[in-house]
Amino acid sequence: MNIVLLLLIFYFTKKQFEFEKTKRIYLLIIPVYSIIMFLLSFKPSVSNNLYLLVILVISGIVSYIQAKYTETITLPDKDKYNRPVTEIKGGYVYLLGWIVIFIAELILIWFKVGRLNILETLSEEITLDLFKFKHFGNDSSWFILALSGFSSYFYSLWLRLFNPDVKKSLNRRKNQSIK
């Protein structure tokens, strides 16, 4: 198990230094799904509202910094819907932000549950980040869904604000005029 985890960490880290095409499913659909699942499982209380406030602040700040330093390139090609083709590369700042989010997740688990298995949590988090589709079957606690959903959604929001071509590449098809 530890060898597999190390290989996943290596692969995830390596991926952050390669340009990858922007995709709606990763930057919009899965974060929105996570936020919807969070909303369905969230039970308002004083402590839960406080946890949520912390999650929103951490997600907003970390994702802003990640997006600010994410490298983007716009290829000369257009996709089949006449949208610009953009690619992104997170690099060291993205990894550092991911570590901050992971540490926040560990702290939330410790405060909420009172126990912590770092290797198990790390394995789950790496698996969710590498295999985004696993979010659709994930039965994480509401705060994990909120942290994952809001940090990913805010990252996508900041990317779209910082780079108009990223925004255009993520537009829905029907809004595009075919030339």
Side-chain angles (χ1 to χ4, degrees), residues 2 5 7-8 10 13 47 54-55 57 62 79 85 90 97 101 106 108 134 136 138 141 159:
N2 290 338
L5 180 58
L7 290 173
L8 287 173
F10 175 76
T13 302
S47 65
V54 169
I55 286 169
V57 169
V62 170
D79 70 6
V85 176
I101 294 290
L106 292 175
L108 284 169
K134 290 192 66 95
F136 291 109
N138 191 10
S141 300
L159 271 179

PDB file of all heavy atoms in Angstrom, residues 2 5 7-8 10 13 47 54-55 57 62 79 85 90 97 101 106 108 134 136 138 141 159:
ATOM      1  N   ASN A   2       1.924   1.267   0.812  1.00  0.00           N
ATOM      2  CA  ASN A   2       2.788   2.445   0.878  1.00  0.00           C
ATOM      3  C   ASN A   2       3.505   2.701  -0.441  1.00  0.00           C
ATOM      4  O   ASN A   2       3.732   3.852  -0.802  1.00  0.00           O
ATOM      5  CB  ASN A   2       3.794   2.317   2.018  1.00  0.00           C
ATOM      6  CG  ASN A   2       3.111   2.424   3.368  1.00  0.00           C
ATOM      7  OD1 ASN A   2       2.022   2.974   3.466  1.00  0.00           O
ATOM      8  ND2 ASN A   2       3.738   1.894   4.388  1.00  0.00           N
ATOM      9  N   LEU A   5       1.007   4.311  -2.757  1.00  0.00           N
ATOM     10  CA  LEU A   5       0.818   5.698  -2.340  1.00  0.00           C
ATOM     11  C   LEU A   5       1.987   6.562  -2.800  1.00  0.00           C
ATOM     12  O   LEU A   5       1.788   7.668  -3.325  1.00  0.00           O
ATOM     13  CB  LEU A   5       0.645   5.787  -0.820  1.00  0.00           C
ATOM     14  CG  LEU A   5       0.429   7.175  -0.244  1.00  0.00           C
ATOM     15  CD1 LEU A   5      -0.812   7.827  -0.859  1.00  0.00           C
ATOM     16  CD2 LEU A   5       0.310   7.103   1.264  1.00  0.00           C
ATOM     17  N   LEU A   7       3.951   5.999  -5.356  1.00  0.00           N
ATOM     18  CA  LEU A   7       3.847   6.134  -6.809  1.00  0.00           C
ATOM     19  C   LEU A   7       2.776   7.157  -7.196  1.00  0.00           C
ATOM     20  O   LEU A   7       2.976   7.952  -8.117  1.00  0.00           O
ATOM     21  CB  LEU A   7       3.548   4.778  -7.456  1.00  0.00           C
ATOM     22  CG  LEU A   7       4.699   3.763  -7.431  1.00  0.00           C
ATOM     23  CD1 LEU A   7       4.223   2.405  -7.934  1.00  0.00           C
ATOM     24  CD2 LEU A   7       5.875   4.264  -8.254  1.00  0.00           C
ATOM     25  N   LEU A   8       1.649   7.139  -6.489  1.00  0.00           N
ATOM     26  CA  LEU A   8       0.590   8.112  -6.756  1.00  0.00           C
ATOM     27  C   LEU A   8       1.057   9.533  -6.446  1.00  0.00           C
ATOM     28  O   LEU A   8       0.774  10.469  -7.210  1.00  0.00           O
ATOM     29  CB  LEU A   8      -0.668   7.781  -5.954  1.00  0.00           C
ATOM     30  CG  LEU A   8      -1.476   6.580  -6.424  1.00  0.00           C
ATOM     31  CD1 LEU A   8      -2.594   6.273  -5.430  1.00  0.00           C
ATOM     32  CD2 LEU A   8      -2.045   6.819  -7.811  1.00  0.00           C
ATOM     33  N   PHE A  10       4.153  10.601  -6.493  1.00  0.00           N
ATOM     34  CA  PHE A  10       5.120  10.948  -7.540  1.00  0.00           C
ATOM     35  C   PHE A  10       4.397  11.361  -8.816  1.00  0.00           C
ATOM     36  O   PHE A  10       4.708  12.383  -9.425  1.00  0.00           O
ATOM     37  CB  PHE A  10       6.068   9.772  -7.811  1.00  0.00           C
ATOM     38  CG  PHE A  10       6.998  10.014  -8.956  1.00  0.00           C
ATOM     39  CD1 PHE A  10       8.100  10.841  -8.807  1.00  0.00           C
ATOM     40  CD2 PHE A  10       6.760   9.440 -10.199  1.00  0.00           C
ATOM     41  CE1 PHE A  10       8.952  11.091  -9.874  1.00  0.00           C
ATOM     42  CE2 PHE A  10       7.598   9.679 -11.277  1.00  0.00           C
ATOM     43  CZ  PHE A  10       8.696  10.505 -11.113  1.00  0.00           C
ATOM     44  N   THR A  13       2.595  14.744  -8.373  1.00  0.00           N
ATOM     45  CA  THR A  13       3.577  15.827  -8.356  1.00  0.00           C
ATOM     46  C   THR A  13       4.099  16.102  -9.758  1.00  0.00           C
ATOM     47  O   THR A  13       4.173  17.251 -10.204  1.00  0.00           O
ATOM     48  CB  THR A  13       4.739  15.478  -7.407  1.00  0.00           C
ATOM     49  OG1 THR A  13       4.204  15.240  -6.100  1.00  0.00           O
ATOM     50  CG2 THR A  13       5.749  16.603  -7.338  1.00  0.00           C
ATOM     51  N   SER A  47     -21.034  25.270  15.445  1.00  0.00           N
ATOM     52  CA  SER A  47     -19.706  24.730  15.132  1.00  0.00           C
ATOM     53  C   SER A  47     -19.559  24.447  13.639  1.00  0.00           C
ATOM     54  O   SER A  47     -18.513  24.749  13.046  1.00  0.00           O
ATOM     55  CB  SER A  47     -19.413  23.468  15.951  1.00  0.00           C
ATOM     56  OG  SER A  47     -20.286  22.419  15.601  1.00  0.00           O
ATOM     57  N   VAL A  54     -14.250  28.861   8.041  1.00  0.00           N
ATOM     58  CA  VAL A  54     -12.817  28.579   7.914  1.00  0.00           C
ATOM     59  C   VAL A  54     -12.524  27.956   6.550  1.00  0.00           C
ATOM     60  O   VAL A  54     -11.557  28.333   5.875  1.00  0.00           O
ATOM     61  CB  VAL A  54     -12.337  27.660   9.070  1.00  0.00           C
ATOM     62  CG1 VAL A  54     -10.928  27.135   8.825  1.00  0.00           C
ATOM     63  CG2 VAL A  54     -12.412  28.400  10.398  1.00  0.00           C
ATOM     64  N   ILE A  55     -13.355  27.014   6.135  1.00  0.00           N
ATOM     65  CA  ILE A  55     -13.178  26.363   4.833  1.00  0.00           C
ATOM     66  C   ILE A  55     -13.257  27.378   3.701  1.00  0.00           C
ATOM     67  O   ILE A  55     -12.433  27.364   2.779  1.00  0.00           O
ATOM     68  CB  ILE A  55     -14.224  25.243   4.641  1.00  0.00           C
ATOM     69  CG1 ILE A  55     -13.865  24.043   5.508  1.00  0.00           C
ATOM     70  CG2 ILE A  55     -14.353  24.831   3.177  1.00  0.00           C
ATOM     71  CD1 ILE A  55     -14.949  22.984   5.605  1.00  0.00           C
ATOM     72  N   VAL A  57     -12.710  30.645   3.781  1.00  0.00           N
ATOM     73  CA  VAL A  57     -11.552  31.552   3.817  1.00  0.00           C
ATOM     74  C   VAL A  57     -10.303  30.847   3.281  1.00  0.00           C
ATOM     75  O   VAL A  57      -9.603  31.381   2.414  1.00  0.00           O
ATOM     76  CB  VAL A  57     -11.317  32.100   5.249  1.00  0.00           C
ATOM     77  CG1 VAL A  57      -9.979  32.811   5.359  1.00  0.00           C
ATOM     78  CG2 VAL A  57     -12.467  33.018   5.651  1.00  0.00           C
ATOM     79  N   VAL A  62      -6.156  30.221  -0.698  1.00  0.00           N
ATOM     80  CA  VAL A  62      -5.241  29.256  -1.324  1.00  0.00           C
ATOM     81  C   VAL A  62      -5.493  29.172  -2.828  1.00  0.00           C
ATOM     82  O   VAL A  62      -4.557  29.198  -3.633  1.00  0.00           O
ATOM     83  CB  VAL A  62      -5.359  27.864  -0.665  1.00  0.00           C
ATOM     84  CG1 VAL A  62      -4.612  26.813  -1.466  1.00  0.00           C
ATOM     85  CG2 VAL A  62      -4.826  27.920   0.762  1.00  0.00           C
ATOM     86  N   ASP A  79     -10.936  24.574 -30.745  1.00  0.00           N
ATOM     87  CA  ASP A  79     -11.565  23.257 -30.660  1.00  0.00           C
ATOM     88  C   ASP A  79     -12.713  23.174 -31.664  1.00  0.00           C
ATOM     89  O   ASP A  79     -12.986  24.127 -32.396  1.00  0.00           O
ATOM     90  CB  ASP A  79     -11.996  22.925 -29.225  1.00  0.00           C
ATOM     91  CG  ASP A  79     -13.169  23.743 -28.723  1.00  0.00           C
ATOM     92  OD1 ASP A  79     -13.765  24.520 -29.503  1.00  0.00           O
ATOM     93  OD2 ASP A  79     -13.507  23.604 -27.537  1.00  0.00           O
ATOM     94  N   VAL A  85      -8.143  26.872 -27.377  1.00  0.00           N
ATOM     95  CA  VAL A  85      -7.611  25.730 -26.648  1.00  0.00           C
ATOM     96  C   VAL A  85      -6.556  26.271 -25.689  1.00  0.00           C
ATOM     97  O   VAL A  85      -5.551  26.844 -26.120  1.00  0.00           O
ATOM     98  CB  VAL A  85      -7.001  24.682 -27.605  1.00  0.00           C
ATOM     99  CG1 VAL A  85      -6.373  23.546 -26.823  1.00  0.00           C
ATOM    100  CG2 VAL A  85      -8.061  24.166 -28.569  1.00  0.00           C
ATOM    101  N   GLY A  90       0.207  23.936 -13.030  1.00  0.00           N
ATOM    102  CA  GLY A  90       0.174  24.474 -11.673  1.00  0.00           C
ATOM    103  C   GLY A  90       1.533  24.771 -11.075  1.00  0.00           C
ATOM    104  O   GLY A  90       1.743  25.806 -10.471  1.00  0.00           O
ATOM    105  N   GLY A  97      -0.127  24.931  -2.404  1.00  0.00           N
ATOM    106  CA  GLY A  97      -1.527  25.166  -2.058  1.00  0.00           C
ATOM    107  C   GLY A  97      -2.255  23.873  -1.763  1.00  0.00           C
ATOM    108  O   GLY A  97      -3.066  23.796  -0.830  1.00  0.00           O
ATOM    109  N   ILE A 101      -4.199  22.852   1.683  1.00  0.00           N
ATOM    110  CA  ILE A 101      -5.572  22.317   1.707  1.00  0.00           C
ATOM    111  C   ILE A 101      -5.589  20.954   2.405  1.00  0.00           C
ATOM    112  O   ILE A 101      -6.476  20.669   3.221  1.00  0.00           O
ATOM    113  CB  ILE A 101      -6.149  22.200   0.276  1.00  0.00           C
ATOM    114  CG1 ILE A 101      -6.317  23.577  -0.357  1.00  0.00           C
ATOM    115  CG2 ILE A 101      -7.457  21.414   0.261  1.00  0.00           C
ATOM    116  CD1 ILE A 101      -7.411  24.430   0.221  1.00  0.00           C
ATOM    117  N   LEU A 106      -6.729  17.626   7.273  1.00  0.00           N
ATOM    118  CA  LEU A 106      -6.291  16.826   8.423  1.00  0.00           C
ATOM    119  C   LEU A 106      -6.728  17.473   9.741  1.00  0.00           C
ATOM    120  O   LEU A 106      -7.218  16.787  10.642  1.00  0.00           O
ATOM    121  CB  LEU A 106      -4.770  16.654   8.414  1.00  0.00           C
ATOM    122  CG  LEU A 106      -4.178  15.795   7.306  1.00  0.00           C
ATOM    123  CD1 LEU A 106      -2.653  15.827   7.378  1.00  0.00           C
ATOM    124  CD2 LEU A 106      -4.693  14.377   7.368  1.00  0.00           C
ATOM    125  N   LEU A 108      -9.236  19.571  10.193  1.00  0.00           N
ATOM    126  CA  LEU A 108     -10.688  19.452  10.314  1.00  0.00           C
ATOM    127  C   LEU A 108     -11.100  18.054  10.765  1.00  0.00           C
ATOM    128  O   LEU A 108     -11.981  17.902  11.623  1.00  0.00           O
ATOM    129  CB  LEU A 108     -11.364  19.786   8.982  1.00  0.00           C
ATOM    130  CG  LEU A 108     -11.437  21.253   8.615  1.00  0.00           C
ATOM    131  CD1 LEU A 108     -11.882  21.426   7.173  1.00  0.00           C
ATOM    132  CD2 LEU A 108     -12.377  21.991   9.552  1.00  0.00           C
ATOM    133  N   LYS A 134     -13.925   9.937  -9.209  1.00  0.00           N
ATOM    134  CA  LYS A 134     -14.226   9.303  -7.925  1.00  0.00           C
ATOM    135  C   LYS A 134     -15.038  10.223  -7.015  1.00  0.00           C
ATOM    136  O   LYS A 134     -15.660   9.773  -6.071  1.00  0.00           O
ATOM    137  CB  LYS A 134     -12.951   8.843  -7.240  1.00  0.00           C
ATOM    138  CG  LYS A 134     -12.323   7.660  -7.974  1.00  0.00           C
ATOM    139  CD  LYS A 134     -11.253   6.994  -7.191  1.00  0.00           C
ATOM    140  CE  LYS A 134     -11.704   6.334  -5.967  1.00  0.00           C
ATOM    141  NZ  LYS A 134     -12.024   4.953  -5.947  1.00  0.00           N
ATOM    142  N   PHE A 136     -17.741  11.449  -7.760  1.00  0.00           N
ATOM    143  CA  PHE A 136     -19.147  11.138  -7.966  1.00  0.00           C
ATOM    144  C   PHE A 136     -19.626  10.008  -7.066  1.00  0.00           C
ATOM    145  O   PHE A 136     -20.805   9.878  -6.849  1.00  0.00           O
ATOM    146  CB  PHE A 136     -19.409  10.818  -9.441  1.00  0.00           C
ATOM    147  CG  PHE A 136     -19.262  12.009 -10.315  1.00  0.00           C
ATOM    148  CD1 PHE A 136     -18.188  12.124 -11.179  1.00  0.00           C
ATOM    149  CD2 PHE A 136     -20.178  13.037 -10.261  1.00  0.00           C
ATOM    150  CE1 PHE A 136     -18.042  13.242 -11.979  1.00  0.00           C
ATOM    151  CE2 PHE A 136     -20.045  14.162 -11.052  1.00  0.00           C
ATOM    152  CZ  PHE A 136     -18.972  14.261 -11.915  1.00  0.00           C
ATOM    153  N   ASN A 138     -18.122   9.517  -3.971  1.00  0.00           N
ATOM    154  CA  ASN A 138     -17.470   9.767  -2.697  1.00  0.00           C
ATOM    155  C   ASN A 138     -18.493  10.036  -1.592  1.00  0.00           C
ATOM    156  O   ASN A 138     -19.391  10.846  -1.749  1.00  0.00           O
ATOM    157  CB  ASN A 138     -16.532  10.970  -2.852  1.00  0.00           C
ATOM    158  CG  ASN A 138     -15.629  11.138  -1.663  1.00  0.00           C
ATOM    159  OD1 ASN A 138     -15.558  10.284  -0.805  1.00  0.00           O
ATOM    160  ND2 ASN A 138     -14.934  12.248  -1.620  1.00  0.00           N
ATOM    161  N   SER A 141     -17.296  13.190   4.457  1.00  0.00           N
ATOM    162  CA  SER A 141     -18.047  14.082   5.340  1.00  0.00           C
ATOM    163  C   SER A 141     -18.259  15.407   4.639  1.00  0.00           C
ATOM    164  O   SER A 141     -17.527  15.769   3.722  1.00  0.00           O
ATOM    165  CB  SER A 141     -17.262  14.291   6.625  1.00  0.00           C
ATOM    166  OG  SER A 141     -17.070  13.053   7.277  1.00  0.00           O
ATOM    167  N   LEU A 159      -8.910  31.407 -12.128  1.00  0.00           N
ATOM    168  CA  LEU A 159      -8.284  31.167 -13.430  1.00  0.00           C
ATOM    169  C   LEU A 159      -9.044  31.898 -14.533  1.00  0.00           C
ATOM    170  O   LEU A 159      -8.448  32.510 -15.418  1.00  0.00           O
ATOM    171  CB  LEU A 159      -8.271  29.674 -13.766  1.00  0.00           C
ATOM    172  CG  LEU A 159      -7.096  28.847 -13.308  1.00  0.00           C
ATOM    173  CD1 LEU A 159      -7.284  27.399 -13.717  1.00  0.00           C
ATOM    174  CD2 LEU A 159      -5.787  29.374 -13.835  1.00  0.00           C
TER     175      LEU A 159
END
